[in-house]
Amino acid sequence: MEKTYQPSAIETKWYENWESQGYFAPSGEGEPYCIMIPPPNVTGSLHMGHGFQESIMDALIRYHRMKGCNTLWQVGTDHAGIATQMVVERLLDTDGKTRHDLGREKFIEKVWEWKEESGGNITRQLRRLGASPDWSRERFTMDEGFYNAVQEVFIRLYEDKLIYRGKRLVNWDPKLHTAISDLEVINEEKKGHMWHFHYPLSDGSGHLTVATTRPETMLGDTAVAVNPEDGRYKHLIGKTIKLPLTEREIPIIADDYVDKDFGTGCVKITPAHDFNDYEMGQRHNLEMINIFNDDAQINSNAPEKYQGMDRFVARKQIVEDLEALGLLDKIDDHVLKVPYGDRSGVVIEPYLTNQWYVKTQPLADEAIKAVEDGDINFVPKQYENMYFSWMRDIQDWCISRQLWWGHRIPAWYDDAGNVYVGRDEAEVRQKHSLADELTLTQDNDVLDTWFSSGLWTFGTLGWPEDNDFLKTFHPSSVLVTGFDIIFFWVARMIMLTLYFKKEIPFHTVYVHGLVRDSHGQKMSKSKGNVLDPIDLIDGIDLETLVEKRTAGMQVPQLKQKIEKMTRKEFPEGIEPYGTDALRYTYYSLASTGRDINFDVGRIEGFRNFCNKLWNASNYVLMNTEGEGCGQDGSENFELTLADRWIVSRLQEAEKAVVGGMNTYRLDLASQALYDFIWKDYCDWYLELTKPVLWDENASAEIKKGTRRTLIRVLETVLRLAHPLMPFITEEIWQRVKPLAGVEGDSIMQAPYPIADDNKIDAQAMADIEWVKGVIVAVRNIRGEMNIAPSKQLPVYVKNGNDNDKRCLDSNSQFLKKLASLESVEWLNLEDEAPLSATALVGELEILVPMAGLIDKDAELARLQKESDKLEKELARLKGKLNNPKFVDKAPAEVVQKEKDKLTDAEAALAKLMEQKEKIAVL
């Protein structure tokens, strides 16, 4: 292998090999295991959330593939109606054209052209991340097969009277001229105003004062509401108000929704322009007056003076007019949440329009039951509560969008407004026996992208055809997703799949957190804290990073702020860390918490981890290539204590890693693997092999046993780590496998390690812990006394038991080599020890003679620190044993254990005090 680890030299090479060999496809053997990728937008680029999510899914897929499962990771992209249409419209705009210049058919052709040429960026980036889905089965929510599934679902729901067309309130984007979902609305806190207006009573007996943050909507008021228990207004209920600036009279109604203690206790009701007011309007059968057109300009339902005005121009004019009439009471500063379209950036209006809806309650009941009965499990379980909360208060689902790009609604209208639903016009005419001369016009709207993605688990597998893939891989095994789309996607998949497949879409929903920056802030371009996973993998220079983060910013002050912050955070740009280091960082953060704070410092640490594994592998190869390692199956070898220990620890590590993978605790799995590789294998075992391999007097059998253990443990560890670190493990495994007697073309096809309790040697583990304790004690004394690691030291040990004596006699070779000792001598209790620096390993005293070595003041300070710690422990133990509640209630053996601790601590403190006295007279 190369001397230094260079991820760029191995990652692309191995990915191309895996994909070209078809390793990502299902094997056709074993228990089915299937994950559906949450389809990213075809317009998208890989962001940190994607990187985190895809890394989790890939780890699960690689793990189950190596376990022998028949594994399918179904990949595909979403057509992203609004986002894609905007991209292509911007391209047209550069040529001075609009979609209307082209017409619908030509515009759709342009979108498909863009998709073929530029729509694959995110799938290329997924490959760079090491994702291993079956690319041969890649789907797109607008491909022909999926289109057929979408049509089938719409038509059947319509025929089953679960889809209808109706006039209801929606989130309306005045720039894009379409309804949008709640997920596409961003609520931002803004400083605004609260206007208080007097509404005169029709009988001239006075007025009511109402408050609003949107004065322009008063033109559509159809009532003023008060609480029925509000004594101030009880006598007015049923009377009318003369709505200012209009010729209309509106009623005063009573509704429990009104908080009598908030404001004046009077609320203006505009059912066509406020969601809460709409519900109240339904309850009281109020008139719905829409005062806006599609551009959010005042329409002909308002007084002529305001018609054609933009909503915000009208707001200003209305306030001025009411003030002139003496009806403006006051204006208060007010902080409010303003809804913005996430794509258009304009303020969203609640707007009354004709749309297509799904009746969701009948579907929701079955979906709730599936989770209640345990057929579908959420991980973490707490997210079931969020799911139930949404589903039990579910509203009908608006599924139509006023766009051109998307699944066009398969409905036709005749001139009389009658609606006919079918797959095409010919089917509609035949089904309803319509005359050829009857003119039919297809609905111009398209379906919400969440409607098509709601069919993802079965639509991608070929439904409505009942093929072998559908039978094998549905229901899928686990859905990996963020909590923010539990309702918008997860719940809708459950509802639609249960209805059409009569089975659940997946057994488990693993809900991961959202990736934030190191300070817990949401990553956004306006904050300047966005990280690109590809930049972390490949690196990026400072100037390019600054240009990337500030691109398109129109506000100079914000641009300067982001540039300054970026230069401070990354003065040298971002160096390349490689895919494996980035993925491992994700796994280390994949706990059950909601938010993940990503710190670049962590990825640097895991790049060092990759380097550690690489360097360790080089050491192993240098000491095993060309040597006998037992790959021929020969049993003519002997294992050392260190060999038996590392094999035992490997079994424990395998259990911990598998436990983490099986419970979706990838943070625990990655930590267990990290600890074994870095601490056990590299820091200790490799060092423990050197006294054996470099000993000319060691037998050939012992050396063979050590080489055999070195290479076999490394080979197993590479398989254990592969789902988390695919590239580096494949590169090293290719060099290691022949020495370990292993065959196979790729590590990803090799079996996943299974722990064997019979290989755990408890005595070896205890003995090595003893050896480590002595070595660490000597190293600590060296550090505290500032003694060079290379200086050979004489060491005495005293006050040990028979086990300490046995361990010392058996392991003096390890101790001398790893602690750099010239000698180790056992002192009997009656022997006088020279003045020494002392450390304790259990009851065993480790003595390093101080003559010519010690810094008297430093050693006294060290001993004082140790004695302070022991005195603190003594105080704790005495307090516990003097507490009757503990002594009387705790089991006798627990009390005795605490008493033994007290005795040991008192003895240890006495020894330290004695040592201090000896050093003090030096």
Side-chain angles (χ1 to χ4, degrees), residues 298-313:
I298 306 298
N299 66 17
S300 59
N301 290 329
E304 186 176 354
K305 176 178 181 179
Y306 306 106
Q307 292 175 17
M309 284 186 180
D310 174 79
R311 53 186 161 164
F312 299 119
V313 175

Side-chain angles (χ1 to χ4, degrees), residues 55-120:
S55 295
I56 289 172
M57 284 187 282
D58 192 57
L60 294 173
I61 283 291
R62 288 179 184 270
Y63 168 62
H64 283 88
R65 187 184 286 131
M66 294 177 74
K67 283 179 65 181
C69 294
N70 185 20
T71 306
L72 171 66
W73 185 7
Q74 177 62 54
V75 69
T77 50
D78 189 277
H79 61 278
I82 293 176
T84 306
Q85 183 159 317
M86 286 183 68
V87 167
V88 179
E89 286 199 76
R90 279 197 294 265
L91 292 173
L92 289 175
D93 187 57
T94 60
D95 296 330
K97 293 182 179 179
T98 70
R99 61 186 165 110
H100 300 286
D101 294 327
L102 272 66
R104 185 171 192 138
E105 188 175 332
K106 292 290 185 185
F107 177 75
I108 297 302
E109 288 177 11
K110 282 287 183 186
V111 179
W112 278 107
E113 285 176 17
W114 174 87
K115 192 265 180 186
E116 295 304 315
E117 294 173 8
S118 308

Side-chain angles (χ1 to χ4, degrees), residues 646-779:
I646 197 65
V647 170
S648 301
R649 278 293 298 121
L650 177 60
Q651 309 315 306
E652 293 183 331
E654 288 171 356
K655 285 182 183 178
V657 173
V658 167
M661 297 296 289
N662 288 343
T663 57
Y664 304 100
R665 288 301 303 270
L666 275 70
D667 56 330
L668 300 183
S670 62
Q671 187 63 50
L673 183 63
Y674 179 93
D675 288 344
F676 178 79
I677 292 175
W678 191 295
K679 298 175 183 177
D680 294 331
Y681 190 73
C682 296
D683 282 358
W684 283 106
Y685 179 64
L686 297 190
E687 294 304 310
L688 289 166
T689 64
K690 291 175 183 177
V692 176
L693 297 176
W694 298 352
D695 183 0
E696 295 179 357
N697 298 317
S699 69
E701 289 79 12
I702 287 180
K703 288 190 174 184
K704 184 176 182 180
T706 294
R707 291 191 180 104
R708 181 182 187 276
T709 305
L710 268 172
I711 201 73
R712 291 194 173 201
V713 171
L714 177 58
E715 190 276 333
T716 305
V717 164
L718 293 171
R719 285 186 283 122
L720 195 64
H722 177 73
L724 308 183
M725 311 165 72
F727 294 111
I728 191 172
T729 51
E730 180 76 271
E731 178 72 14
I732 298 171
W733 187 80
Q734 293 292 336
R735 296 290 299 273
V736 166
K737 66 175 181 178
L739 299 172
V742 173
E743 296 181 351
D745 294 327
S746 170
I747 191 173
M748 66 186 295
Q749 296 179 310
Y752 202 73
I754 301 173
D756 183 351
D757 286 342
N758 293 321
K759 293 181 179 180
I760 297 178
D761 187 329
Q763 189 61 61
M765 294 180 70
D767 286 358
I768 287 294
E769 289 306 314
W770 184 93
V771 170
K772 288 164 63 179
V774 173
I775 292 170
V776 169
V778 174
R779 287 175 177 174

Side-chain angles (χ1 to χ4, degrees), residues 143-208:
D143 66 32
E144 184 178 356
F146 213 83
Y147 174 73
N148 292 337
V150 171
Q151 276 202 325
E152 180 74 16
V153 166
F154 185 94
I155 292 166
R156 281 172 55 179
L157 286 175
Y158 181 79
E159 290 174 347
D160 293 346
K161 302 199 178 338
L162 288 173
I163 280 183
Y164 66 93
R165 184 168 169 80
K167 200 164 199 176
R168 299 183 60 173
L169 217 55
V170 297
N171 295 310
W172 183 260
D173 190 311
K175 180 177 180 180
L176 300 177
H177 294 163
T178 182
I180 61 175
S181 72
D182 289 342
L183 195 64
E184 294 159 318
V185 178
I186 300 172
N187 289 294
E188 294 185 7
E189 278 199 351
K190 296 287 184 182
K191 290 181 179 178
H193 299 94
M194 180 77 77
W195 287 270
H196 298 253
F197 299 129
H198 297 315
Y199 279 15
L201 295 165
S202 298
D203 61 10
S205 61
H207 63 260
L208 293 181

Side-chain angles (χ1 to χ4, degrees), residues 301-342:
N301 290 329
E304 186 176 354
K305 176 178 181 179
Y306 306 106
Q307 292 175 17
M309 284 186 180
D310 174 79
R311 53 186 161 164
F312 299 119
V313 175
R315 173 181 297 180
K316 185 178 178 182
Q317 186 62 57
I318 286 167
V319 171
E320 288 179 2
D321 291 349
L322 288 173
E323 184 176 21
L325 293 171
L327 298 178
L328 175 62
D329 180 41
K330 61 178 179 176
I331 304 174
D332 293 332
D333 290 334
H334 183 70
V335 176
L336 67 158
K337 288 202 169 179
V338 179
Y340 289 88
D342 68 338

Side-chain angles (χ1 to χ4, degrees), residues 854-909:
I854 191 166
D855 178 331
K856 175 181 173 181
D857 293 336
E859 180 60 8
L860 283 172
R862 186 186 73 83
L863 290 171
Q864 184 62 50
K865 186 177 178 182
E866 290 238 7
S867 61
D868 289 344
K869 188 162 64 173
L870 275 171
E871 285 175 347
K872 191 174 181 181
E873 176 65 4
L874 278 169
R876 186 189 71 81
L877 290 167
K878 286 177 180 177
K880 198 171 186 180
L881 291 168
N882 289 331
N883 183 353
K885 290 183 179 178
F886 171 72
V887 176
D888 296 340
K889 294 182 179 180
E893 60 271 20
V894 173
V895 175
Q896 186 57 49
K897 191 174 180 181
E898 294 302 295
K899 288 180 177 178
D900 293 342
K901 286 182 183 178
L902 178 63
T903 302
D904 292 343
E906 287 174 337
L909 182 61

